Amino acid sequence: DGSPVAVVEEADASRLPPGWTWPEPVMLKAADGKTDIAAAIFRPSDFSPNRRYPVIDCIYGGPQVSIVPESYLGTLAYLESVSLAELGFVVVVVDGRGTAERSRAFHEASYGAIQTSSNLEDHIAAIRQLGARYPYLDLDHVGISGFSAGGYMAAMAMLRYPDFYQVGVARSGNYDQRLFWSVWGERYHGMLEGDNYVPQAARTYAANLKGKLMFIHGLADPGVHPAALFQLTQSLIEAGKDFEMTLMPRAGHEINGWAQRRQWDFLVRNLAGQEPPPPVAHKSEDDLLNEQQ
């Protein structure tokens, strides 16, 4: 009848730091106007509805997972979004069509077209809906940031939808699945047949770049080989496009504190239009994890 039977677990939020701001879970419509998609909105702890906030799309975009936080468990999307929001942004996390934890049809929407996983058009539709709902969102200043498959999708967003995304940071991205694990690319995109892998390669769209794009990559990455990054950047060079690149000579599939600060500075400078503070020593979550090993 809906009355409690027993208390299994009770949360204690008393030790959260002052000013802690929980994200807002929302349900929105996909670009098709009918499919429900989940999202979460992260605001800074000093949020004011009377200010205008640039928006950052915190993306992953791999078809094997969904990343909209369902709880606070120290997940990558949660920690990344909280950090970016504190820099003065409103951060949006979206699970578009082609990701997991929904129906089979929802998951298979990106099969054979891995470049549509999480569906960037769904992300754009979601952000526009939120802009109509919350006037303080500045949709003239929209950025995107992601790591690994998120780095791939951040680059694809800047290259395929250059009129919507102005600033992007692509970290450790698998920019062409022909240079990535076959168990990932072939599982979700299919076997290599003719030119069927051309649409998923980021360098295919290199000539479209308009905004500010930064790449971050570890040269010792054991899974996402830097060769795909260099093929993409060579295509950008041949197309006469400017970009920034931050390389970590000894880093693997990770982001150290120095590179994370470079990411934050790039977004503050190019998306918020502000000058970041002088460099300070900083450790990322990956740095802390490496110290424990």
Side-chain angles (χ1 to χ4, degrees):
D1 62 0
S3 59
V5 175
V7 176
V8 178
E9 188 174 11
E10 190 170 6
D12 176 13
S14 62
R15 289 178 292 174
L16 289 173
W20 182 269
T21 303
W22 291 104
E24 177 191 359
V26 292
M27 292 298 293
L28 303 165
K29 292 297 182 183
D32 63 5
K34 58 184 181 180
T35 304
D36 291 330
I37 55 174
I41 309 167
F42 291 77
R43 300 174 179 86
S45 57
D46 62 350
F47 169 77
S48 169
N50 298 319
R51 291 175 54 188
R52 293 274 285 170
Y53 291 90
V55 180
I56 294 179
D57 184 349
C58 182
I59 193 169
Y60 179 69
Q64 78 278 20
V65 297
S66 62
I67 66 160
V68 172
E70 298 169 359
S71 65
Y72 173 70
L73 295 174
T75 61
L76 176 62
Y78 200 110
L79 296 174
E80 174 81 1
S81 299
V82 168
S83 299
L84 292 174
E86 285 304 299
L87 298 178
F89 302 105
V90 169
V91 182
V92 179
V93 184
V94 180
D95 283 330
R97 288 169 292 173
T99 55
E101 296 190 27
R102 295 285 293 278
S103 68
R104 182 180 179 90
F106 190 95
H107 193 187
E108 290 185 343
S110 61
Y111 181 74
I114 204 166
Q115 70 275 8
T116 66
S117 176
S118 197
N119 203 310
L120 286 165
E121 292 181 358
D122 289 352
H123 283 243
I124 293 171
I127 293 171
R128 284 177 171 159
Q129 290 168 61
L130 292 174
R133 184 182 303 182
Y134 300 118
Y136 50 78
L137 298 185
D138 183 358
L139 299 197
D140 291 327
H141 294 84
V142 179
I144 188 165
S145 180
F147 175 78
S148 194
Y152 167 61
M153 281 300 173
M156 291 292 270
M158 294 293 294
L159 299 176
R160 294 179 60 213
Y161 301 96
D163 294 327
F164 186 79
Y165 294 101
Q166 291 85 40
V167 180
V169 180
R171 297 167 289 145
S172 303
N174 47 314
Y175 303 111
D176 190 335
Q177 313 325 311
R178 290 170 291 190
L179 290 166
F180 190 44
W181 298 328
S182 60
V183 294
W184 201 85
E186 291 179 4
R187 180 184 299 172
Y188 300 112
H189 195 74
M191 298 293 288
L192 181 64
E193 296 179 3
D195 60 359
N196 68 323
Y197 268 70
V198 171
Q200 63 76 43
R203 69 178 186 270
T204 300
Y205 312 95
N208 295 339
L209 181 63
K210 293 182 180 179
K212 302 285 188 178
L213 176 58
M214 169 183 272
F215 297 103
I216 300 176
H217 214 103
L219 295 183
D221 196 318
V224 181
H225 199 284
L229 167 66
F230 297 143
Q231 286 188 359
L232 171 55
T233 53
Q234 181 62 37
S235 295
L236 290 168
I237 291 169
E238 292 170 358
K241 302 298 181 178
D242 292 336
F243 59 90
E244 293 195 26
M245 185 160 57
T246 296
L247 300 177
M248 303 172 288
R250 294 184 177 180
H253 198 56
E254 60 189 304
I255 297 296
N256 60 32
W258 173 79
Q260 190 173 63
R261 178 182 58 77
R262 295 273 296 166
Q263 171 200 0
W264 292 346
D265 288 355
F266 184 81
L267 290 168
V268 167
R269 183 177 290 115
N270 292 289
L271 191 58
Q274 300 179 12
E275 189 60 27
V280 295
H282 168 68
K283 290 184 179 181
S284 69
E285 182 185 18
D286 286 329
D287 290 328
L288 299 175
L289 290 173
N290 288 334
E291 290 177 357
Q292 296 173 7
Q293 296 176 355

